[in-house]
C-alpha cells in the first residue's frame, strides 16, 4: 500500500513534506512521491472510515450525513459508524475499519485518550488519521486535526458573560461557576480562552466563584457527560448557594450546559423570583436551542458542521491524491505525542436575538424541529 503523505502548512507558508510513518524529525524526511487515488483489485473505490461518538445528539448525525455526502460525491466509499458513547465499541469499530482496508480514518473520539493502541495498528498499516473536532491525545498516529477555532470559541463564551453582566459598567459583585470538559490539550485551549475573558473581573472581585473551583482540573467534566455536569452542579449549589444566587455559569459545551440546567431547576431556579443564571454552551444541539428559545440557556456557539465536513472531505481527498493538505495552524495543538497540523474554522454564537436567522433561515434546522 502506498503511504499517505502528511503536509504541514503554517498559515500561508508551505513546510517540508514528510511521510505518515512518523519521525521525531519529520522535516528531515525526503518528500514521498505523489500517491494516486487508491482502488482495490476489483476496481472498487477507496474506503474512508468515519467514527463518531453517538447518534443521540443531532449534531453528530449532521456531521455524519455531511461527511458521507461530501466524500461520496468525490467517489469514495464510506464506512460511517456511531459508537453510542461506548469507548470499547469505538475501538472495535475503528479496528474493523482498518481490517476492511480503510485508507483514511476520520475520528471524533468519545474518550480522547483511549485510542492509542488501535491507532498504532492504523499507523502500521499506513492509514492516515484525521482527528475530527476533538483532538485525540497520546498518539503519534494522528496526522491532522480539523476543528473550529477553540481560541475564538472560548473568547466568544467568556465575552458573552462579560457583556451580559455588563461588567465594564456594573461593579457587581456577581456569583459565577465554571463547567469545563475533559482534561485535554484541546479543552485547555478552549478553557484558557474563555477564562481569560473573565479573569480580570475575578481578580478585581466583580466575579466571585464561591466554590473556589477555578482551574481546569477542578472544573472538569469527563467526556463532556451531561450527568457528570449535573452531579457536580448539584454539589456546588448545595454546598455554596443555599443562601446566595448564582448569576452566571460558564459552560464550555451544550451537554454540560444541559446538566447544569437540570441541577439549577432542581434547586428552584427558572422562576420569576429566581431566574436562571446566564448560561453558556457550544454546538447548538436541538435541546439547547429549545432551551435558548425558552430562556433556560443564554447562548450556544454555532459551529456550522457543513463547513467542517467539507473541509475534512477536501483534506481526505488531498491525502489520497498525494496533494498538499490544507491546514492553517502548526503550533497550537499538542496531543502529548506531537504537534498536530490543524485546520481551524471560526464560529458565531446563537442566542434569543438571532437563533431563527442563523439556524432556521440558514437551513441548519427547520422551525418544526425547534417547536
Amino acid at each position: 500500500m502506498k503511504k499517505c503523505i502528511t503536509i504541514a502548512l503554517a498559515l500561508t507558508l508551505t513546510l517540508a513534506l514528510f511521510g505518515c510513518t512518523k519521525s521525531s524529525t519529520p522535516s528531515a524526511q525526503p518528500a514521498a512521491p505523489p500517491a494516486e487515488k487508491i482502488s482495490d483489485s476489483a476496481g472498487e473505490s477507496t474506503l474512508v472510515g468515519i467514527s463518531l461518538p453517538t447518534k443521540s445528539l443531532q449534531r453528530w448525525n449532521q456531521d455524519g450525513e455531511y461527511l458521507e455526502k461530501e466524500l461520496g460525491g468525490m467517489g469514495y466509499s464510506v464506512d460511517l459508524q456511531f459508537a453510542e458513547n461506548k469507548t470499547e465499541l469505538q475501538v472495535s469499530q475503528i479496528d474493523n475499519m482498518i481490517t476492511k482496508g480503510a485508507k483514511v480514518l476520520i475520528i471524533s473520539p468519545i474518550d480522547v485518550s483511549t485510542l492509542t493502541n488501535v491507532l498504532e495498528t492504523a499507523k502500521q498499516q499506513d492509514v492516515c488519521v484525521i482527528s475530527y473536532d476533538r483532538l485525540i491525545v497520546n498518539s503519534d498516529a494522528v496526522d491532522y486535526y480539523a476543528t473550529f477555532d477553540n481560541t475564538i470559541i472560548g473568547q466568544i463564551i467568556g465575552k458573552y458573560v462579560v457583556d451580559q453582566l455588563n461588567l465594564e459598567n456594573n461593579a457587581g459583585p456577581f456569583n459565577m461557576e465554571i463547567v469545563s470538559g475533559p482534561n485535554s490539550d484541546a479543552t485547555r485551549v478552549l478553557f484558557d480562552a474563555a477564562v481569560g475573558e473573565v479573569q480580570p473581573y475575578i481578580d478585581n472581585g466583580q466575579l466571585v466563584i464561591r466554590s473556589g473551583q477555578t482551574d481546569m482540573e477542578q472544573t472538569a467534566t469527563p467526556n463532556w457527560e451531561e450527568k457528570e455536569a449535573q452531579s457536580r452542579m448539584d454539589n456546588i449549589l448545595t454546598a455554596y448557594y443555599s443562601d446566595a444566587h448564582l448569576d452566571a455559569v460558564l459552560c464550555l459545551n451544550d451537554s454540560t450546559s444541559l446538566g447544569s440546567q437540570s441541577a439549577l431547576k432542581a434547586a428552584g431556579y427558572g422562576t420569576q423570583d429566581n431566574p436562571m443564571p446566564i448560561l453558556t454552551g457550544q454546538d447548538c444541539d436541538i435541546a439547547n436551542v429549545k432551551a435558548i428559545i425558552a430562556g433556560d440557556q443564554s447562548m450556544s456557539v454555532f459551529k456550522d458542521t457543513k463547513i467542517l465536513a467539507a473541509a475534512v472531505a477536501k483534506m481526505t481527498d488531498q491525502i489520497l491524491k498525494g496533494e498538499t493538505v490544507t491546514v492553517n495552524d502548526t503550533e497550537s495543538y499538542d496531543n502529548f505525542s506531537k504537534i498536530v497540523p490543524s485546520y481551524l474554522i471560526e464560529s458565531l454564537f446563537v442566542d434569543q436575538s438571532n437563533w431563527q436567522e442563523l439556524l432556521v433561515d440558514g437551513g441548519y434546522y427547520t422551525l418544526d424541529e425547534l417547536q
Side-chain angles (χ1 to χ4, degrees):
M1 182 198 310
K2 298 182 180 178
K3 299 185 187 297
C4 57
I5 299 171
T6 303
I7 312 292
L9 297 180
L11 297 174
T12 58
L13 299 179
T14 303
L15 303 181
L17 299 176
F18 55 95
C20 278
T21 49
K22 311 300 187 296
S23 167
S24 60
T25 55
S27 60
Q29 299 298 308
E36 298 174 0
K37 197 166 182 177
I38 306 168
S39 61
D40 65 18
S41 58
E44 295 180 0
S45 57
T46 304
L47 179 63
V48 177
I50 302 172
S51 175
L52 299 179
T54 179
K55 294 189 76 172
S56 64
L57 290 178
Q58 180 66 17
R59 180 264 158 95
W60 296 117
N61 290 315
Q62 290 171 325
D63 282 274
E65 176 186 344
Y66 298 148
L67 283 165
E68 194 167 33
K69 182 178 179 180
E70 291 283 344
L71 290 164
M74 294 174 176
Y76 297 109
S77 296
V78 174
D79 183 5
L80 170 62
Q81 299 289 332
F82 297 88
E84 303 311 323
N85 280 331
K86 298 176 181 178
T87 54
E88 299 86 354
L89 179 57
Q90 185 166 47
V91 169
S92 176
Q93 290 173 340
I94 293 170
D95 188 59
N96 189 48
M97 291 173 188
I98 297 168
T99 299
K100 290 195 294 187
K103 303 300 187 292
V104 174
L105 295 173
I106 300 168
I107 303 170
S108 183
I110 296 165
D111 184 332
V112 297
S113 62
T114 58
L115 300 180
T116 304
N117 291 338
V118 72
L119 293 191
E120 181 63 25
T121 301
K123 174 183 171 181
Q124 292 170 359
Q125 298 295 321
D126 299 320
V127 179
C128 274
V129 175
I130 300 175
S131 193
Y132 185 90
D133 201 39
R134 298 175 177 175
L135 181 60
I136 299 166
V137 301
N138 302 328
S139 173
D140 66 355
V142 180
D143 299 290
Y144 299 101
Y145 179 40
T147 191
F148 297 86
D149 191 327
N150 280 341
T151 297
I152 292 177
I153 290 172
Q155 290 169 344
I156 289 171
I157 290 172
K159 190 173 187 303
Y160 191 90
V161 172
V162 171
D163 291 345
Q164 292 301 303
L165 291 177
N166 192 21
L167 292 177
E168 291 189 5
N169 301 303
N170 196 334
F174 298 100
N175 294 317
M176 186 186 79
E177 295 293 335
I178 302 169
V179 184
S180 59
N183 288 320
S184 69
D185 186 64
T187 306
R188 170 63 66 185
V189 173
L190 179 65
F191 178 90
D192 287 349
V195 173
E197 295 292 321
V198 298
Q199 191 66 53
Y201 304 99
I202 296 173
D203 292 342
N204 70 14
Q206 285 179 263
L207 288 175
V208 178
I209 300 178
R210 292 171 69 94
S211 71
Q213 298 172 15
T214 58
D215 62 37
M216 197 173 81
E217 290 71 23
Q218 292 171 314
T219 62
T221 306
N223 299 328
W224 302 102
E225 285 287 347
E226 180 179 335
K227 290 182 179 179
E228 294 282 349
Q230 180 178 348
S231 177
R232 177 169 168 266
M233 185 55 64
D234 281 333
N235 293 335
I236 288 173
L237 292 171
T238 299
Y240 302 102
Y241 291 92
S242 59
D243 60 348
H245 188 268
L246 181 55
D247 300 297
V249 184
L250 194 154
C251 292
L252 296 188
N253 90 327
D254 276 351
S255 56
T256 59
S257 181
L258 285 179
S260 299
Q261 288 174 52
S262 296
L264 287 159
K265 288 184 176 181
Y269 285 78
T271 67
Q272 185 173 356
D273 294 333
N274 191 20
M276 292 289 280
I278 294 165
L279 207 152
T280 63
Q282 69 160 310
D283 287 335
C284 286
D285 290 329
I286 284 181
N288 297 82
V289 178
K290 288 181 177 179
I292 289 171
I293 296 169
D296 293 332
Q297 182 171 329
S298 305
M299 63 83 79
S300 182
V301 177
F302 174 44
K303 305 188 299 188
D304 192 338
T305 50
K306 288 182 181 178
I307 297 174
L308 180 60
V312 170
K314 180 180 178 181
M315 293 168 72
T316 301
D317 191 48
Q318 290 169 332
I319 289 168
L320 293 173
K321 290 179 176 177
E323 298 174 351
T324 297
V325 178
T326 302
V327 299
N328 54 21
D329 187 302
T330 58
E331 299 177 356
S332 302
Y333 290 91
D334 184 350
N335 78 343
F336 309 127
S337 292
K338 61 185 286 188
I339 302 295
V340 183
S342 304
Y343 186 77
L344 309 177
I345 298 169
E346 294 188 12
S347 307
L348 303 169
F349 72 80
V350 165
D351 65 5
Q352 282 197 337
S353 72
N354 63 4
W355 64 266
Q356 183 159 343
E357 176 187 357
L358 288 180
L359 300 179
V360 177
D361 297 346
Y364 197 75
Y365 292 131
T366 67
L367 198 56
D368 287 343
E369 288 177 306
L370 301 177
Q371 297 301 313

